[in-house]
Amino acid sequence: MKLNAPAEPTPGSRLTYDERRRIAAGLTAGLPYAEIARRLGRPRSTISREVARNGGPRHYRAHHAQRATAWRARRRPKRPPRPDRTPPPAEIHDFEERFVAMAVRTGLPPMPARVLVCLLTGDDGLTAAELAARLRVSPASVSKAVNWLERLGLIRRERHDRRDRYLVDDHIWYQTCQASIRSTEMWADLARQGAALLDAGTRAGARLDTMGRFFHFLHQDMLQAADHWHRVLARPG
């Protein structure tokens, strides 16, 4: 299926109904956001936000998105345009360094942390060569870092113009939380097995029983919170 790009969309202009139909067609064809954006001449971030606020990739419908946009425009009070303020490079660099330091303190190795922050603060993904140049490190260091991040599901790659581009999905934290939820369920199940084996009347069995109940309740709370916020963030508006 081929999507023909519109002539020249005005930078910052709203998506047209025709563009929304093309987005829907691209999603049906299984095209990644970056490819749909390229064919429409739009930033990838525009496409990902449009899909996320209108039902997600499985439920996106052009006519529903068009009506929702018109409704939001009617209920939103008009505000004077904000000045286009691009932060100075020094401020961006300082923020990225603080972000990397926080990621390292919470358990990420330094190089994967730097790569992840670089991708988080960009719009359209980067190739391995672009990451190496931006971070001023060797391609081998980048290769090890992206492989590590991919195994954890924190980033993904897309094939584009015979090159791999590395991206962070807008819903990556929901996906990461789901992995943590699955791990708490595994801890709970194994602890319950140990409590049954050792007898909850013994000190070891009681300890494992308490552990199992803790992870069971943690699992339930995390599951409800993740589902709640997934619905909220996918809601239009």
Side-chain angles (χ1 to χ4, degrees):
M1 184 177 295
K2 185 176 181 181
L3 300 177
N4 296 318
E8 282 291 337
T10 305
S13 62
R14 290 182 179 176
L15 289 165
T16 65
Y17 181 56
D18 182 63
E19 287 178 308
R20 290 191 166 97
R21 290 177 58 191
R22 294 171 186 273
I23 291 172
L27 294 172
T28 300
L31 297 179
Y33 291 164
E35 180 61 17
I36 296 174
R38 185 184 69 81
R39 297 188 183 193
L40 294 181
R42 293 281 191 171
R44 178 185 178 279
S45 56
T46 297
I47 305 304
S48 62
R49 283 195 300 268
E50 166 70 12
V51 175
R53 69 163 64 104
N54 291 293
R58 295 184 59 186
H59 303 290
Y60 182 85
R61 299 294 184 272
H63 58 286
H64 290 163
Q66 187 75 9
R67 284 205 303 267
T69 300
W71 181 77
R72 286 194 295 266
R74 286 197 299 271
R75 66 190 287 266
R76 187 182 300 126
K78 290 186 177 181
R79 300 174 182 172
R82 292 185 299 176
D84 182 17
R85 179 184 177 272
T86 302
E91 288 187 18
I92 297 175
H93 176 73
D94 177 66
F95 170 75
E96 291 177 339
E97 289 299 310
R98 288 186 286 113
F99 205 154
V100 169
M102 183 275 296
V104 171
R105 283 198 302 272
T106 55
L108 265 68
M111 185 51 64
R114 293 183 65 191
V115 169
L116 180 61
V117 170
C118 192
L119 294 173
L120 279 169
T121 54
D123 279 337
D124 299 316
L126 295 167
T127 65
E130 290 168 339
L131 282 166
R134 185 167 297 190
L135 297 173
R136 298 181 182 179
V137 297
S138 69
S141 298
V142 169
S143 178
K144 291 179 182 178
V146 295
N147 287 337
W148 192 89
L149 292 167
E150 272 193 296
R151 285 197 301 271
L152 290 184
L154 293 174
I155 66 172
R156 64 181 175 86
R157 70 176 75 195
E158 287 183 354
R159 195 71 175 171
H160 184 65
D161 292 338
R162 294 184 293 182
R163 294 185 300 172
D164 287 333
R165 297 187 74 81
Y166 297 95
L167 308 159
V168 177
D169 281 327
D170 293 340
H171 294 285
I172 186 62
W173 307 117
Y174 173 74
Q175 297 162 9
T176 303
C177 186
Q178 288 295 312
S180 297
I181 290 170
R182 288 191 294 272
S183 70
T184 59
E185 186 176 26
M186 293 168 61
W187 278 99
D189 286 344
L190 196 60
R192 283 195 294 260
Q193 292 173 32
L197 177 66
L198 299 177
D199 187 345
T202 65
R203 291 184 63 185
R207 185 184 304 120
L208 287 169
D209 180 65
T210 300
M211 173 182 168
R213 287 187 288 115
F214 169 79
F215 278 108
H216 171 73
F217 287 118
L218 181 63
H219 169 77
Q220 295 298 318
D221 289 346
M222 290 176 66
L223 187 63
Q224 292 176 13
D227 287 344
H228 168 73
W229 284 107
H230 184 59
R231 291 193 300 271
V232 168
L233 294 174
R235 189 179 301 159

